[in-house]
């Protein structure tokens, strides 16, 4: 499969990722159950009358997509593709609360209209007056990867040259309460979380929005070449190494060709064993992790893709991300491996341009 180039990268996360010197200012957090995104001043980007009608995920995505398009020098993308796990859950909760409070009568449709998962891509298209291909993928932790795969296929087939691809998820009060009751989120007694050697289940939950412009041609702003993507829904632990090695073999690479591997250690003991298994393949690579910087959420891989782009462009690996002591004078190939609670495993291979 032919490659496409990631020509811009923008991210709103629990880190201050909209400012400069991103890799130097990363700060881990392991002592709270939920991490909130650092939000920009939305009034600089969105009319005040519209802000109050937008959920958090729509606002984050609007700003992140604005920065991504601006950096790539694109005013009208040939397509808009967004991946999300939970969509606009804030408006979903408001609509369901209205249903209960009003005994299913006299409901205003606004919250329902804005609660659909494709609200984000639709709002971005409306703001840009973009009538091109517009699609939303809802595939839990591989939502971004499916979006990138779609973009890659369209560019390969000559249907588009520059595509805006993004991922976004927000926290909402009731959903977080249910996650706590279901032990998806770590109990307070298990904090601070040990991301790499955890003996307890549950994660610290985060949120954020990451947007990229992927294009047919390399430009002055290019971060990386998107070489290949592989996604699988379920995987047995003893199949992990074959899953990764088959992917490398398909791309004519060995483990020694991979300079850095970014793993999604979340602090959940039961599912992190997949990452421990994967580490054994790469004795000479720099092994990195990132969810102590972003929290776990459906599209956390957007944050890791954003960091990988900066590592390739700036040719430096932040010490706060290192699992082992391996350092590289040059970072050419980065492999990203992610899953959520042991399901929806994805591999993304990025190459320096």
């Amino acid at each position: 499969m032919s490659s496409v180039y990631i020509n811009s990268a923008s991210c709103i996360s629990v880190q201050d990722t909209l400012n400069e010197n991103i890799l130097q200012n990363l700060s881990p957090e392991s002592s709270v159950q939920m991490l909130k995104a650092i939000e920009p001043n939305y009034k600089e980007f969105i009319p005040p009358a519209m802000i109050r009608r937008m959920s958090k995920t729509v606002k984050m995505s609007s700003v992140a997509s604005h920065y991504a398009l601006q950096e790539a020098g694109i005013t009208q993308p040939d397509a808009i593709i967004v991946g999300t796990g939970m969509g606009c859950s804030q408006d979903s909760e408001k609509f369901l609360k209205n249903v209960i409070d009003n005994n299913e009568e006299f409901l205003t449709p606004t919250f329902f209209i804005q609660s659909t998962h494709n609200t984000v891509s639709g709002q971005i298209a409306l703001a840009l007056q973009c009538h091109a291909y517009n699609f939303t993928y809802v595939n839990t932790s591989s939502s971004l990867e499916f979006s990138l795969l779609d973009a890659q296929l369209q560019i390969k087939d000559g249907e588009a040259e520059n595509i805006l691809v993004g991922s976004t998820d927000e926290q909402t009060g009731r959903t977080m309460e249910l996650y706590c009751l279901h032990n998806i989120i770590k109990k307070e007694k298990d904090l601070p979380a040990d991301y790499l050697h955890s003996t307890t289940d549950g994660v610290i939950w985060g949120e954020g929005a990451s947007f990229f412009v992927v294009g047919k041609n390399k430009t002055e702003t290019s971060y990386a070449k998107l070489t290949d993507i592989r996604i699988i829904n379920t995987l047995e632990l003893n199949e992990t190494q074959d899953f990764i090695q088959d992917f490398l073999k398909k791309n004519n690479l060995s483990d020694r060709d991979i300079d850095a591997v970014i793993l999604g250690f979340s602090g959940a003991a039961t599912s992190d064993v997949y990452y421990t298994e994967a580490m054994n393949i790469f004795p000479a690579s720099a092994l990195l992790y990132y969810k102590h910087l972003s929290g776990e959420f459906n599209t956390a891989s957007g944050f890791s893709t954003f960091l990988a782009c900066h590592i390739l462009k700036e040719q430096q690996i932040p010490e706060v991300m290192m699992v082992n002591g391996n350092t590289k004078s040059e970072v050419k190939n980065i492999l990203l491996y992610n899953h959520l609670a042991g399901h929806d495993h994805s591999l993304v291979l990025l190459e320096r341009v």
Side-chain angles (χ1 to χ4, degrees), residues 61-72:
S61 300
S62 297
V63 174
S65 63
H66 167 83
Y67 275 112
L69 290 167
Q70 186 181 60
E71 185 180 21

Side-chain angles (χ1 to χ4, degrees), residues 7 94 132 148:
N7 293 331
K94 287 177 181 177
L148 287 170

Side-chain angles (χ1 to χ4, degrees), residues 28-240:
E29 177 56 72
S30 60
S31 300
V32 295
Q33 290 178 296
M34 284 156 269
L35 300 170
K36 298 286 186 185
I38 298 173
E39 298 178 85
N41 182 3
Y42 293 121
K43 292 178 182 177
E44 295 177 10
F45 306 93
I46 308 166
M50 292 178 66
I51 291 175
R52 62 187 180 83
R53 293 199 300 270
M54 287 181 167
S55 67
K56 188 175 186 178
T57 194
V58 175
K59 290 187 286 188
M60 290 192 299
S61 300
S62 297
V63 174
S65 63
H66 167 83
Y67 275 112
L69 290 167
Q70 186 181 60
E71 185 180 21
I74 301 292
T75 54
Q76 281 290 329
D78 299 319
I80 298 171
I81 308 173
V82 174
T84 180
M86 297 294 291
C88 300
S89 47
Q90 193 176 93
D91 285 316
S92 299
E93 285 189 8
K94 287 177 181 177
F95 173 71
L96 292 171
K97 187 174 186 300
N98 273 355
V99 170
I100 296 166
D101 292 347
N102 294 288
N103 296 313
E104 303 180 22
E105 297 178 329
F106 314 118
L107 300 172
T108 56
T110 309
F111 291 135
F112 176 73
I113 293 166
Q114 294 178 337
S115 70
T116 57
H117 288 71
N118 60 355
T119 299
V120 174
S121 59
Q123 288 281 7
I124 293 169
L126 282 170
L128 295 172
Q129 290 297 295
C130 177
H131 302 282
Y133 177 93
N134 191 292
F135 206 85
T136 300
Y137 283 90
V138 186
N139 298 83
T140 61
S141 63
S142 53
S143 299
L144 173 64
E145 288 77 5
F146 274 104
S147 302
L148 287 170
L149 188 59
D150 187 350
Q152 190 181 47
L153 289 167
Q154 289 201 48
I155 290 170
K156 179 190 174 187
D157 292 342
E159 295 178 11
E161 289 195 6
N162 293 289
I163 299 178
L164 178 66
V165 179
S167 63
T168 182
D169 274 299
E170 65 185 359
Q171 288 177 13
T172 49
R174 182 58 180 155
T175 302
M176 293 302 103
E177 286 176 16
L178 293 171
Y179 279 12
C180 287
L181 287 170
H182 199 55
N183 297 324
I184 292 171
I185 292 174
K186 272 202 188 297
K187 292 179 166 51
E188 287 192 2
K189 67 181 179 62
D190 295 329
L191 298 174
D194 183 344
Y195 280 85
L196 295 178
H197 308 100
S198 179
T199 56
T200 60
D201 278 329
V203 300
I204 291 175
W205 205 257
E207 61 181 356
S210 303
F211 275 77
F212 312 88
V213 171
V214 298
K216 176 183 178 182
N217 301 312
K218 178 184 172 183
T219 67
E220 290 182 1
T221 61
S222 293
Y223 283 83
K225 188 180 357 176
L226 178 60
T227 305
D228 201 4
I229 301 163
R230 188 178 180 191
I231 304 157
I232 190 168
N233 176 245
T234 56
L235 191 70
E236 296 298 326
L237 183 60
N238 60 7
E239 298 171 335
T240 308

Side-chain angles (χ1 to χ4, degrees), residues 285-341:
S285 305
L287 301 175
L288 313 176
Y289 71 126
Y290 67 93
K291 285 177 183 171
H292 60 310
L293 305 171
S294 67
E296 174 72 285
F297 55 103
N298 283 275
T299 49
S301 60
F303 180 77
S304 69
T305 305
F306 174 78
L307 289 182
C309 286
H310 277 274
I311 290 170
L312 285 168
K313 193 167 191 176
E314 299 174 31
Q315 286 295 292
Q316 56 177 295
I317 297 173
E319 193 173 334
V320 71
M321 293 179 68
M322 292 182 181
V323 177
N324 61 3
N326 292 347
T327 56
K328 298 287 178 177
S329 56
E330 180 187 14
V331 182
K332 185 182 178 186
N333 291 307
I334 293 184
L335 179 68
L336 290 80
Y337 174 32
N338 186 59
H339 63 72
L340 179 65

